[in-house]
């Protein structure tokens, strides 16, 4: 898949409740290109605009100024080719785990026997096959996150946007799912953009790391972390970079 | 451990006990018919047998009907009125939500009509539909429809944006999103309001039966009044209470069974 998503001088502000322009920009002059097979990780303090940037990249929000191009055409509307795992609140409470994961297929009018294998595979991948009959209110926060992930994995997309998908998981599950993402990226040549609070995760998974900071937020730092020493979490370079980044970011 | 007063059976038992005491007290106070209170309020041992008189009919001539027919007819009226209002308000609410403009123009009208007491529609309904089922159904409908339509519009606004984003992201068309996301999101809220409005609908249909119509449970009570038959009045009152309670429980059951989820 030769996909390409490009932000050109994108800025974003929100309107307040009265519909007036809120002069405060959340994001300012973002220039970013996501090429085929990229794995971009975004770091930044809480409330900087990481989720906002991801929503812009998925076409869920419109840039206030600047343009986003997807495969050389202006990104005008939400598309299944750019799949998003939202930070919160996206499982349909009236559907059980299996039905939630199958929702995309259901929308297309496919029959259950045609998509069952695919759905089961996604559920296996996130380790929730045995919970497929539970409803969202019966799940823990981390399980909900995994269902959302499984739902996005089940559909064929070119780019996967992930908004802190592992924030409520224990370290073991987190590592398993990190491996899963890397193997999916390798096998299906999907590009990925991952927002995270976890510096280690950002270095380990990313091929390119972006540091978002300030009010309005700008891209403070953009570095190539694809080098093999950054895929060993105990290597000298890894630990040095991790320390450097952690001191740069003041997490609240 | 579950506290004893949280247990279903215990709660049921308490209700049963208090009713038994009420009835025993009522029966005992009927001191050989000398108590002026029980002359107006005869105890169950006196009014219940009326139910079992085999060819018992209430009313005169062609309008006479058994108790069972009266219950059925009242239930049919209130349930059809409510079903129509439920379906109608969801359809109209969805249509009005399609455009900001229609909402701006129509919601003020709805908001003014909604607080009108259903019973106020009786004279108009009698003129339009005459004496009959349509009148009763119309009154129930008018009592519930406007409130529910406003609720539907409010519920649609409260559907989490992420639900719609997610569905669109999974390739859902506008129509599919309405059908598979927005409608399921709003159903529990609208149904809860329907259930809360049942009492109003129930009272509306009874009031209509007491004032304008010639059959149904409300008419049983009125016939009792006209015949100075306090047994009949009491029987009617008790049946109204018990049936209303039963329907409310059935609606609660439907809600827990089919519309149990919540979106927040
Ligand atoms: N719909 C909106 N309307 C107005 N302001 C908004 C809206 N969405 C986000 N914001 C503002 O934009 C800023 C960035 O929010 P965003 O959710 O993108 O932060 P974030 O970096 O994802 O934070 P976190 O790490 O806590 O998830 C915040 O100050 C927030 O108040
Ligand atoms: Mg966020």
């Amino acid at each position: 898949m030769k996909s390409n998503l490009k932000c050109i001088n994108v800025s974003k502000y929100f309107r307040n409740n009265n519909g007036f322009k809120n002069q405060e920009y959340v994001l300012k002059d973002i220039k970013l290109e996501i090429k085929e097979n990229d794995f971009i990780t975004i770091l930044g303090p809480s409330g900087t605009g990481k989720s906002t940037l991801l929503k812009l990249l998925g076409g869920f929000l419109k840039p206030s100024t600047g343009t986003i191009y997807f495969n050389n055409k202006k990104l005008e509307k939400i598309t299944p080719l750019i799949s998003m795992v939202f930070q919160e609140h996206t499982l349909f409470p009236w559907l059980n785990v299996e039905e939630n994961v199958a929702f995309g297929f259901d929308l297309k009018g496919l029959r259950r026997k045609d998509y069952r294998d695919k759905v089961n595979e996604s559920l296996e991948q996130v380790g929730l096959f045995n919970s497929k009959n539970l409803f969202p209110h019966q799940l823990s926060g981390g399980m909900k996150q995994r269902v959302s992930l499984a739902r996005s994995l089940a559909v064929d997309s070119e780019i996967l946007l992930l908004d802190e998908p592992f924030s409520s998981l224990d370290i073991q599950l987190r590592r398993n799912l990190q491996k899963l993402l890397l193997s999916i990226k390798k096998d299906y040549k999907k590009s990925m953009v991952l927002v995270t609070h976890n510096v280690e995760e950002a270095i380990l998974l990313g091929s390119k790391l972006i540091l978002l900071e300030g009010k309005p937020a700008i891209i403070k730092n953009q570095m190539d972390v694809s080098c093999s020493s950054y895929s060993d979490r105990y290597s000298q370079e890894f630990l040095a970079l991790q320390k450097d980044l952690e001191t740069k970011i003041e997490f609240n | 451990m579950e506290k004893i007063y949280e247990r279903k059976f215990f709660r049921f038992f308490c209700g049963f006990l208090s009713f038994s005491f009420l009835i025993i007290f009522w029966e005992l106070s009927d001191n050989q018919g000398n108590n002026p209170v029980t002359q107006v309020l005869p105890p169950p041992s006196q009014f219940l047998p009326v139910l079992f008189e085999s060819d018992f009919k209430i009313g005169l001539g062609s309008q006479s009907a058994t108790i069972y027919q009266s219950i059925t007819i009242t239930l049919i009226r209130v349930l059809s009125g409510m079903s129509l209002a439920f379906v109608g308000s969801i359809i109209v609410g969805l249509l009005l939500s399609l455009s900001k403009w229609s909402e701006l123009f129509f919601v003020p009208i709805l908001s003014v009509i909604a607080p009108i007491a259903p019973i106020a529609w009786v004279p108009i309904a009698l003129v339009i539909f005459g004496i009959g089922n349509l009148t009763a159904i119309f009154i129930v409908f008018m009592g519930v429809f406007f409130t529910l339509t406003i609720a539907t519009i409010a519920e649609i606004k409260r559907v989490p944006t992420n639900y719609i984003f997610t569905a669109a992201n999974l390739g859902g068309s506008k129509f599919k999103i309405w059908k598979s996301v927005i409608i399921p999101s709003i159903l529990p809220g609208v149904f809860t309001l329907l259930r809360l409005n049942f009492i109003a609908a129930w009272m509306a249909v009874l009031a209509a039966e007491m004032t304008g119509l010639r059959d149904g449970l409300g008419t049983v009570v009125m016939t009792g009044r006209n015949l100075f038959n306090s047994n009949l009045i009491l029987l009617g009152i008790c049946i109204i209470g018990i049936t209303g309670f039963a329907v409310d429980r059935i609606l609660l059951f439907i809600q827990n069974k089919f519309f149990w989820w919540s979106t927040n």
Side-chain angles (χ1 to χ4, degrees):
Chain A
M1 275 176 262
K2 260 212 166 324
S3 57
N4 182 293
L5 188 61
K6 208 184 315 184
C7 275
I8 298 181
N9 297 333
V10 167
S11 302
K12 178 72 186 171
Y13 60 80
F14 288 102
R15 287 177 191 284
N16 62 20
N17 285 340
N18 310 324
F20 290 116
K21 180 176 150 182
N22 215 341
Q23 281 302 338
E24 296 258 322
Y25 275 86
V26 173
L27 293 168
K28 192 92 184 166
D29 283 332
I30 303 291
K31 299 184 195 69
L32 181 64
E33 183 169 7
I34 298 143
K35 293 203 250 345
E36 186 197 351
N37 218 12
D38 267 351
F39 200 134
I40 295 186
T41 49
I42 301 177
L43 277 174
S46 185
T48 5
K50 303 184 296 298
S51 298
T52 306
L53 176 57
L54 224 50
K55 283 180 192 162
L56 287 164
L57 290 174
F60 303 101
L61 296 176
K62 296 227 164 355
S64 306
T65 62
T67 323
I68 297 175
Y69 292 97
F70 176 53
N71 294 342
N72 300 318
K73 277 197 296 261
K74 197 174 167 199
L75 181 65
E76 306 258 69
K77 55 178 203 284
I78 303 168
T79 157
L81 294 176
I82 308 175
S83 178
M84 171 90 152
V85 178
F86 287 93
Q87 192 169 8
E88 56 198 1
H89 224 75
T90 54
L91 296 184
F92 302 111
W94 57 90
L95 301 177
N96 67 22
V97 167
E98 186 181 10
E99 291 161 339
N100 260 295
V101 174
F103 193 74
F105 300 110
D106 254 347
L107 282 176
K108 293 200 187 85
L110 297 181
R111 276 191 271 140
R112 187 160 183 266
K113 69 168 170 36
D114 297 327
Y115 60 66
R116 199 167 51 198
D117 292 342
K118 190 88 187 108
V119 169
N120 285 344
E121 190 197 331
S122 301
L123 283 171
E124 297 269 16
Q125 284 174 332
V126 299
L128 283 177
F129 184 75
N130 292 326
S131 311
K132 62 180 183 175
N133 293 321
L134 296 180
F135 282 90
H137 70 272
Q138 298 166 311
L139 304 177
S140 71
M143 288 164 96
K144 283 183 199 159
Q145 287 185 325
R146 286 186 280 156
V147 179
S148 307
L149 180 64
R151 181 169 60 189
S152 290
L153 293 180
V155 295
D156 285 319
S157 56
E158 297 179 1
I159 299 178
L160 195 55
L161 308 175
L162 303 140
D163 198 347
E164 302 191 30
F166 308 144
S167 58
S168 331
L169 299 181
D170 63 58
I171 194 121
Q172 197 49 54
L173 262 174
R174 191 181 259 262
R175 291 198 173 153
N176 289 344
L177 291 181
Q178 287 171 349
K179 277 191 207 119
L180 174 68
L181 284 189
L182 288 175
S183 75
I184 285 171
K185 177 179 167 261
K186 201 161 132 245
D187 297 348
Y188 298 95
K189 303 244 182 300
K190 278 193 197 196
S191 324
M192 307 215 178
V193 183
L194 176 100
V195 166
T196 177
H197 270 129
N198 187 320
V199 177
E200 183 195 272
E201 182 169 277
I203 306 172
L204 191 67
L205 295 181
S207 58
K208 195 154 89 185
L209 189 151
I210 283 172
L211 186 56
L212 218 55
E213 226 182 66
K215 231 174 172 66
I218 52 165
I219 295 185
K220 188 86 173 282
N221 241 321
Q222 181 163 331
M223 56 190 90
D224 187 344
V225 284
S226 58
C227 150
S228 67
S229 54
Y230 291 132
S231 48
D232 171 11
R233 70 178 91 234
Y234 303 109
S235 76
Q236 290 279 313
E237 291 88 341
F238 190 102
L239 294 170
L241 179 60
Q242 182 176 358
K243 193 169 167 214
D244 180 40
L245 283 171
E246 274 171 4
T247 44
K248 264 194 189 135
I249 310 164
E250 284 151 42
F251 287 108
N252 320 4
Chain B
M1 217 193 81
E2 207 181 11
K3 304 223 171 52
I4 185 160
Y5 53 81
E6 281 170 356
R7 287 200 195 154
K8 233 183 178 157
F9 175 77
F10 186 73
R11 300 178 73 96
F12 177 79
F13 179 73
C14 288
F16 180 78
L17 210 63
S18 71
F19 258 102
S20 312
F21 275 120
L22 176 72
I23 288 168
I24 290 169
F25 178 73
W26 197 354
E27 291 287 349
L28 288 179
S29 60
D30 177 36
N31 185 10
Q32 290 119 29
N34 291 334
N35 184 339
V37 174
T38 49
Q39 279 168 7
V40 186
L41 296 173
S45 63
Q46 282 176 40
F47 69 74
L48 277 185
V50 178
L51 197 56
F52 303 108
E53 286 168 21
S54 55
D55 58 346
F56 177 74
K57 297 221 171 184
I58 298 152
L60 302 168
S62 61
Q63 251 119 45
S64 66
T66 67
I67 282 281
Y68 309 107
Q69 284 167 328
S70 304
I71 296 176
T72 319
I73 200 138
T74 301
L75 276 179
I76 289 177
R77 284 167 175 169
V78 75
L79 293 181
S80 14
M82 282 184 22
S83 312
L84 282 177
F86 184 59
V87 176
S89 62
I90 286 178
I91 293 173
V92 174
L94 288 175
L95 288 177
L96 289 185
S97 299
L98 287 179
S99 130
K100 275 193 199 109
W101 292 102
S102 59
E103 202 194 304
L104 280 177
F105 284 102
F106 288 104
V107 170
I109 300 180
L110 295 176
S111 315
V112 170
I113 302 181
I116 298 175
I119 193 75
W121 295 104
V122 172
I124 296 171
L126 283 174
V127 172
I128 302 176
F129 298 109
I131 294 171
N133 285 333
L134 271 183
T135 300
I137 293 172
F138 174 78
I139 290 161
V140 174
F141 180 86
M142 294 304 269
V144 181
F145 173 75
F146 297 96
T147 316
L148 282 192
T149 306
I150 295 172
T152 304
I153 294 172
E155 287 285 324
I156 290 173
K157 286 216 185 103
R158 283 186 33 208
V159 175
T161 332
N162 272 0
Y163 285 6
I164 295 161
F165 281 171
T166 302
N169 195 209
L170 292 167
S173 62
K174 273 234 163 66
F175 174 75
K176 279 278 169 74
I177 292 175
W178 281 95
K179 178 174 154 275
S180 308
V181 177
I182 294 179
I183 291 183
S185 300
I186 64 170
L187 279 179
V190 180
F191 192 85
T192 304
L193 212 73
L194 178 76
R195 190 167 78 80
L196 296 177
N197 270 291
F198 160 70
I199 301 291
W202 183 240
M203 293 197 291
V205 89
L206 289 168
E209 287 170 354
M210 288 181 189
T211 51
L213 305 178
R214 301 208 192 100
D215 47 6
L217 276 178
T219 311
V220 172
V221 176
M222 273 319 178
T223 310
R225 184 191 99 154
N226 294 339
L227 303 174
F228 300 107
N229 182 342
S230 48
N231 279 340
L232 199 51
I233 296 178
L234 255 280
L235 181 66
I237 288 178
C238 282
I239 290 176
I240 288 171
I242 292 168
T243 318
F245 175 77
V247 174
D248 184 60
R249 285 296 132 142
I250 291 169
L251 291 176
L252 188 62
F253 174 79
I254 293 176
Q255 181 168 6
N256 291 337
K257 179 108 184 150
F258 298 105
F259 305 114
W260 48 266
W261 59 89
S262 98
T263 53
N264 37 41

